[in-house]
Amino acid sequence: MILSIIVYIILSLIFFQMVLLAFLSIRKWINNTDEKEINHLYNSLLDSFTSYMIGIDQHLFIDQVEKIRYRSILVEKLLTYYVTVIKSSSFSQEVNLLSEKYLSGPYTAILKKNNWAKRVNTLHFIEDFKMHSLSPLLLERLRKVKKLDVEAQQLIRTLASLNETSALDCLKKYPDAPMRLYLDSFSRLDRKLTEQEIEKAFAEDFIPIKSSAIAFIGTARLFSFIPHVEQELKSKTTEIRIQSLKTLFRLHYMNNPDVLEPFFHSDNWTERMFAARIAGVMTLERFKPKLRNLLSDQVWWVRYSAAEAFSYFGDGELLLTYFSENHEDRYARDMAKQWITLKSGGQA
């Protein structure tokens, strides 16, 4: 009796495995068949699609698309190819028309499903195709978000690409939001809206967005905001002051270099370091005595930045040679010698 039960169980398991294998084989065959058909249709549509995108015989492509299977998959694939190859193509009227006509419905359905991976991929497509009609749905989803996970961050990026500045307002719920997310959002907005949001950030006391706005000014090289950045050097918040110094260093420009003077004596070594770097890249002669003093700073990075700063001056190598022999501080002499060696092509 027991032997019969064991044999029955073994046979049942074998049968189940055979059924599962058959199911997987059929599924793979169907997927391969579908993929081949999609690729065939894609290649057959390329010529008429290209003509449509350049405004020639546009009815031909539409007529073909209306009659085929896998319509949304093919339109998505064709538009992805187009926006990848053609610079600034996402601003094309044809891209917007096709995506809104054939993809807004499927994308709306996907965004309401529980498939996380498909939702995130769809958000990328919406951003690429600039599908403004889906902004209300995305904003609704963002307002319901309880944590700033990968999907929530992509929601914010996608909304920013659609010029929805309210996405930045939603970020205020997350004080620990990464600066990269703010920078990505600023870069996706139209230039005019970006500048308006930066102005708003300076007017507020929310540190994360103000610090990010200052950083973006440096990466985007928005020289018109330099007076705002210099004003923030007086901030009581160390993070804001340091970010302002970083941005001025990136821009290699200041309207009023005199505001840099206090930072050579700062209690914060990062501020002293950036003061030295700025004085160097801007070749601010008036601060040479300050740089000389920083050569003997207790922090290695500050000494290094002071020596590097001298290297930007026309007489910098001569001064470093003098300091390597005559500076009263041993660490300053060592650092000057290191930079002389570096300048001559040796190893420090």
Side-chain angles (χ1 to χ4, degrees), residues 38-51:
I38 290 170
N39 288 334
H40 172 73
L41 289 169
Y42 174 82
N43 291 324
S44 68
L45 287 169
L46 265 178
D47 287 342
S48 59
F49 171 73
T50 302
S51 297

Side-chain angles (χ1 to χ4, degrees), residues 104-260:
S104 59
Y107 284 177
T108 298
I110 290 172
L111 289 172
K112 292 180 179 180
K113 291 182 178 179
N114 290 325
N115 192 317
W116 177 87
K118 284 188 175 181
R119 289 200 309 271
V120 173
N121 283 336
T122 297
L123 290 173
H124 285 287
F125 286 128
I126 294 170
E127 176 179 347
D128 290 340
F129 304 151
K130 297 292 184 288
M131 299 176 67
H132 291 273
S133 68
L134 295 179
S135 290
L137 175 60
L138 300 184
L139 283 168
E140 180 185 350
R141 291 190 64 84
L142 182 59
R143 292 188 185 106
K144 293 178 180 178
V145 165
K146 295 181 180 178
K147 62 179 181 177
L148 197 62
D149 57 11
V150 172
E151 183 179 5
Q153 291 187 37
Q154 186 54 44
L155 261 173
I156 290 168
R157 291 187 183 95
T158 301
L159 283 164
S161 74
L162 301 176
N163 286 322
E164 292 289 349
T165 57
S166 53
L168 281 168
D169 294 329
C170 289
L171 262 178
K172 293 176 184 175
K173 295 190 296 183
Y174 308 99
D176 296 327
M179 180 181 286
R180 182 74 258 168
L181 184 55
Y182 283 103
L183 298 179
D184 288 346
S185 300
F186 284 133
S187 67
R188 282 162 168 76
L189 294 170
D190 285 347
R191 177 65 175 264
K192 185 176 181 180
L193 284 175
T194 299
E195 292 180 352
Q196 289 176 0
E197 289 302 304
I198 289 175
E199 290 275 6
K200 190 162 70 172
F202 276 115
E204 297 176 356
D205 291 325
F206 189 62
I207 302 302
I209 194 167
K210 180 182 283 190
S211 181
S212 301
I214 294 169
F216 185 78
I217 290 167
T219 57
R221 304 190 67 76
L222 301 179
F223 287 90
S224 62
F225 283 98
I226 284 180
H228 293 75
V229 177
E230 290 182 350
Q231 184 63 31
E232 292 302 325
L233 291 175
K234 301 175 183 176
S235 172
K236 295 180 180 179
T237 305
T238 304
E239 178 185 345
I240 295 296
R241 294 196 307 270
I242 291 175
Q243 193 59 64
S244 299
L245 289 166
K246 287 181 180 179
T247 289
L248 293 171
F249 173 66
R250 286 196 187 101
L251 294 176
H252 292 191
Y253 187 81
M254 295 181 70
N255 286 339
N256 181 18
D258 289 339
V259 298
L260 195 61

Side-chain angles (χ1 to χ4, degrees), residues 82-93 95-96 128 130:
Y82 187 75
V83 300
T84 301
V85 172
I86 308 298
K87 188 177 180 181
S88 301
S89 56
S90 56
F91 297 102
S92 161
Q93 182 181 4
V95 171
N96 297 148
D128 290 340
K130 297 292 184 288

